[in-house]
Amino acid sequence: MGMRVDFTGVQEPGEFTPIPEGTYVMTCDQVLTKDEHGADLTTSSHDPMWKLVLSVDPPNEFAGRKVFDQVIFGGKQALRSRLKLICSRLAGKKTDGAIDIEPTDFAGKRCRVTVIQDEYNGVKNNKVTFAGYDHLDATLPGNGSQLAGQETPF
């Protein structure tokens, strides 16, 4: 049985264009905790980690575009600092002591996410900045009036 496939607008491999650098309202669509073999995800240093799949919310010309990030449960102070920020600003958790964290704490949650363009092995992609998560009601950098990818209404 044959299949008809429409490749209109589909980029060739290697032609992926990242979204412009900026701050976007995003939703965490998915939290991946296992690899393709069913093993728990870990970093190269064997720290446990989860992968976050974030998508740009409408109204935005980049609505639906995906950005990927990781939550690393490591012992290093910098990793714990970033984890605390993500738990507070994306998951809405109180982070003033020991807490339990579940993938469902992140899935479906919205916040402002600051992304940059990064190059890895010659391919440009998007990367969430180290402290790139903020509450939805936070003031934006600059004059605070516009998110990336949204037109000014006047």
Side-chain angles (χ1 to χ4, degrees):
M1 176 170 117
M3 300 292 258
R4 181 168 177 80
V5 180
D6 183 0
F7 291 113
T8 305
V10 175
Q11 297 175 329
E12 293 291 330
E15 289 184 7
F16 171 77
T17 304
I19 61 176
E21 294 184 350
T23 301
Y24 299 86
V25 174
M26 295 188 160
T27 298
C28 182
D29 288 336
Q30 191 175 15
V31 181
L32 305 172
T33 61
K34 307 277 184 189
D35 68 14
E36 64 274 8
H37 306 291
D40 289 337
L41 290 172
T42 60
T43 66
S44 57
S45 304
H46 306 289
D47 290 321
M49 77 172 188
W50 295 345
K51 291 184 179 182
L52 305 179
V53 181
L54 307 161
S55 64
V56 177
D57 287 359
N60 189 296
E61 67 180 288
F62 302 106
R65 294 286 301 270
K66 306 286 186 205
V67 174
F68 303 91
D69 197 15
Q70 294 123 6
V71 176
I72 301 173
F73 300 89
K76 294 180 181 176
Q77 178 63 32
L79 294 177
R80 291 212 177 247
S81 177
R82 186 168 195 268
L83 175 61
K84 181 177 182 174
L85 179 129
I86 295 171
C87 285
S88 169
R89 296 183 181 175
L90 177 60
K93 292 277 212 178
K94 292 189 184 261
T95 55
D96 53 357
I99 62 171
D100 293 318
I101 306 168
E102 298 291 333
T104 54
D105 292 328
F106 299 101
K109 301 292 175 63
R110 300 173 65 223
C111 72
R112 294 177 194 258
V113 180
T114 301
V115 298
I116 58 172
Q117 291 185 2
D118 191 32
E119 191 169 319
Y120 182 74
N121 288 336
V123 178
K124 280 190 176 182
N125 54 40
N126 288 115
K127 179 179 178 180
V128 178
T129 61
F130 187 81
Y133 291 84
D134 215 338
H135 302 283
L136 282 177
D137 59 354
T139 302
L140 290 170
N143 65 9
S145 64
Q146 187 175 352
L147 290 167
Q150 292 185 339
E151 293 187 25
T152 306
F154 44 86

